[in-house]
Amino acid sequence: MSDRKAELARNLDAVRGRIAAACEAAGRDHGEVHLVVVTKTYPAEDVRTLHELGVRDVAENRDQEAGPKAAACADLSLNWHFVGQLQTNKARSVLGYADEVQSVDRPRLAAALSAAAVRRGRDVGCLIQVALDAESGERGARGGVAPGAVGELADAVAGSEGLRLDGLMTVAPLAGPYAGRQRAAFERLMEISSRLRADHPAATMVSAGMSADLEEAVQAGATHVRVGTAVLGDRPRLG
Ligand SMILES: *Cc1c(COP(=O)(O)O)cnc(C)c1O
């Protein structure tokens, strides 16, 4: 086994162990929480190695990087998640590889994704990204729609051809009332999810928690955690 494969295997074991322990502590079944490995800034070779180690869900946050990487791994059976802020003019490109767009945060983006999905004759899963640091009517500093606007956007996604409303995603905010309070932030997301599921019972995915706060997310009820550095190592700083 190469050094890199051994390193990734060790890290994956540790992260899977953390998820299992968090499930145990929360009285949840391990199978309820899915690991999505965020491979941004790391090469396709690492994605290939992760696949050999049993990873089936990977995430990227920039289309320019994700497109070529997904193409280089097209022979592997992987679910590609898009988790970054997305310009509408990238919707067509993202539909070339993404199975799940976790960062849907405005009606115009939903419309662009729908048009691209129809054009490709396929469906794409969508999560509404919720900004817990945004006031009503605003968007979050790192993308996302204010909690008060989730319902309307969810209805728009659910009513769009080619789009499947799967649930919600959030990134714990760095500012505002939830700064430094991951547990409270994720519990708030779960409340918003309950309300969403009253109208859209199939929208059960809750994507929350990263390397530093996956335990809080599992405790609150997340179904998907998005883990980058704890699996792949510290990312080189961008530009
Ligand atoms: C990079 C990223 C992650 C992973 O963060 P780590 O701290 O590396 O685990 C999760 N979610 C989103 C939206 C990201 O951009």
Side-chain angles (χ1 to χ4, degrees):
M1 201 187 283
S2 71
D3 286 355
R4 180 58 170 160
K5 185 170 182 183
E7 179 187 8
L8 292 178
R10 241 185 352 262
N11 292 347
L12 263 181
D13 272 354
V15 167
R16 287 173 175 148
R18 283 174 62 190
I19 294 170
C23 284
E24 193 92 24
R28 300 182 63 195
D29 192 85
H30 298 184
E32 288 175 36
V33 180
H34 301 270
L35 170 62
V36 180
V37 179
V38 183
T39 49
K40 65 188 182 198
T41 76
Y42 285 95
E45 198 49 49
D46 279 345
V47 176
R48 207 162 268 288
T49 305
L50 289 167
H51 182 269
E52 287 171 19
L53 294 169
V55 170
R56 292 295 177 267
D57 288 275
V58 293
E60 290 284 331
N61 73 335
R62 290 172 59 243
D63 176 59
Q64 306 91 294
E65 180 185 348
K69 209 183 288 187
C73 297
D75 57 314
L76 305 178
S77 118
L78 284 165
N79 293 314
W80 290 85
H81 298 249
F82 192 87
V83 300
Q85 292 186 50
L86 184 54
Q87 295 169 277
T88 52
N89 64 4
K90 298 283 168 58
R92 265 175 77 178
S93 172
V94 167
L95 260 287
Y97 54 87
D99 300 288
E100 196 76 45
V101 177
Q102 296 205 5
S103 45
V104 178
D105 63 358
R106 56 202 193 280
R108 279 194 58 221
L109 176 57
L113 289 168
S114 171
V118 168
R119 195 186 172 97
R120 285 211 161 241
R122 53 164 296 209
D123 284 353
V124 65
C126 294
L127 302 186
I128 306 289
Q129 182 179 347
V130 183
L132 295 169
D133 57 348
E135 304 293 338
S136 60
E138 290 181 9
R139 288 205 294 132
R142 292 191 286 174
V145 65
V150 167
E152 196 175 329
L153 182 54
D155 290 345
V157 168
S160 296
E161 209 179 332
L163 305 187
R164 184 182 69 242
L165 179 66
D166 284 338
L168 302 180
M169 181 270 247
T170 203
V171 178
L174 296 172
Y178 290 105
R181 299 173 59 226
Q182 284 88 341
R183 177 73 190 275
F186 297 144
E187 283 173 356
R188 176 85 177 97
L189 183 71
M190 291 307 299
E191 285 172 20
I192 300 167
S193 169
S194 304
R195 207 173 318 139
L196 175 72
R197 279 174 284 144
D199 290 335
H200 302 280
T204 55
M205 279 177 68
V206 179
S207 172
M210 319 199 294
S211 294
D213 54 19
L214 72 87
E215 282 84 1
E216 285 85 352
V218 170
Q219 184 71 41
T223 63
H224 291 69
V225 294
R226 308 178 307 270
V227 180
T229 55
V231 171
L232 288 138
D234 285 329
R235 283 180 293 274
R237 247 192 247 266
L238 292 176

